[in-house]
Amino acid sequence: MSELYGSAWARPLSAAAAAVLAVTVVGCSNAQLSADKCQTVSAPLTDVPTRTDQEPKMRVPVPQGWERSTKMDSENIRFAIRNPGLAADGFTPNAVVTLQRVAADIGKPEQILEAQNQQLAKKLKVTDMNSTQTEVCGAPAMSTSYTAPEVKVSPKIPPIPPRKATSLGVVYKAGDVTYVATVTVQTVKADNATYATDSETILKGFQLLPPG
């Protein structure tokens, strides 16, 4: 598979993530955050690198066959893994972790997560969106599944085919600063049994905790 595919899959996610920065939120207390409230999975956990002492600690399960990719690491995209063994139709299943800092002056955690979904639908034109409120390690979260349309990267590169994705967004407040962490898994073959098991593990085992 061409390395061009490896760098192309995250661009739409990056654009959508940047758009969410204009939304703000307050009302999220971290008093309830605890490692005891995190879901346990069998896959080993990898720490997501942080850039400041205020940023929350994030950990991602990495199932067998998934490998780290740093091609799209940026201010928003903090971590990505992909599974070349599950590649199909020119697309490699992947999981991407983003972290955005937003000003804390209006709204509630649920509102920032709903606004994130609205931006996703607007920017990427996704369909079949279905959201469920949940928690990650005690923090307010929302799980959203959807279908992303075909993406034409350039005339010289075959388009990225339509794919199924699930995003798990989590809100974390540190003093007067609020962060939104999101882990998104996507594939063109959602009925693949290995992908179904691995993606569930990644989402279920994702951790967000206070710094330190």
Side-chain angles (χ1 to χ4, degrees):
M1 174 176 296
S2 168
E3 287 300 314
L4 291 172
Y5 289 113
S7 63
W9 48 255
R11 286 179 185 143
L13 291 175
S14 179
V20 179
L21 290 174
V23 187
T24 55
V25 60
V26 293
C28 176
S29 170
N30 292 321
Q32 74 273 29
L33 283 177
S34 169
D36 294 337
K37 297 182 179 180
C38 299
Q39 295 286 334
T40 301
V41 294
S42 59
L45 297 171
T46 297
D47 291 336
V48 176
T50 56
R51 301 192 177 188
T52 72
D53 293 339
Q54 269 193 312
E55 290 185 351
K57 180 178 181 179
M58 297 179 290
R59 307 181 75 192
V60 181
V62 182
Q64 184 177 0
W66 292 73
E67 60 184 31
R68 177 78 165 100
S69 174
T70 60
K71 280 181 171 289
M72 293 303 297
D73 284 7
S74 65
E75 182 62 29
N76 287 334
I77 299 176
R78 297 301 183 85
F79 190 85
I81 54 176
R82 59 206 301 266
N83 190 331
L86 298 179
D89 299 336
F91 186 83
T92 301
N94 57 79
V96 178
V97 177
T98 63
L99 183 68
Q100 300 117 44
R101 174 176 169 170
V102 295
D105 55 4
I106 58 173
K108 297 180 180 180
E110 293 77 12
Q111 291 174 309
I112 184 68
L113 297 172
E114 291 173 358
Q116 188 177 40
N117 283 345
Q118 291 172 7
Q119 291 286 358
L120 186 67
K122 180 179 179 180
K123 297 295 182 180
L124 297 188
K125 310 298 183 184
V126 303
T127 58
D128 305 322
M129 183 174 282
N130 184 25
S131 298
T132 302
Q133 291 187 12
T134 183
E135 290 187 350
V136 171
C137 302
M142 182 177 291
S143 177
T144 303
S145 60
Y146 55 87
T147 300
E150 178 182 271
V151 176
K152 294 181 179 180
V153 181
S154 79
K156 295 182 179 180
I157 302 175
I160 300 173
R163 56 223 177 274
K164 295 290 186 178
T166 300
S167 292
L168 177 65
V170 193
V171 175
Y172 172 85
K173 182 174 173 59
D176 60 351
V177 178
T178 299
Y179 293 93
V180 180
T182 304
V183 55
T184 301
V185 294
Q186 57 178 339
T187 184
V188 297
K189 298 291 184 181
D191 57 350
N192 180 281
T194 299
Y195 172 82
T197 299
D198 289 354
S199 60
E200 181 180 6
T201 294
I202 293 169
L203 294 169
K204 179 181 178 181
F206 179 67
Q207 295 185 1
L208 182 142
L209 295 166

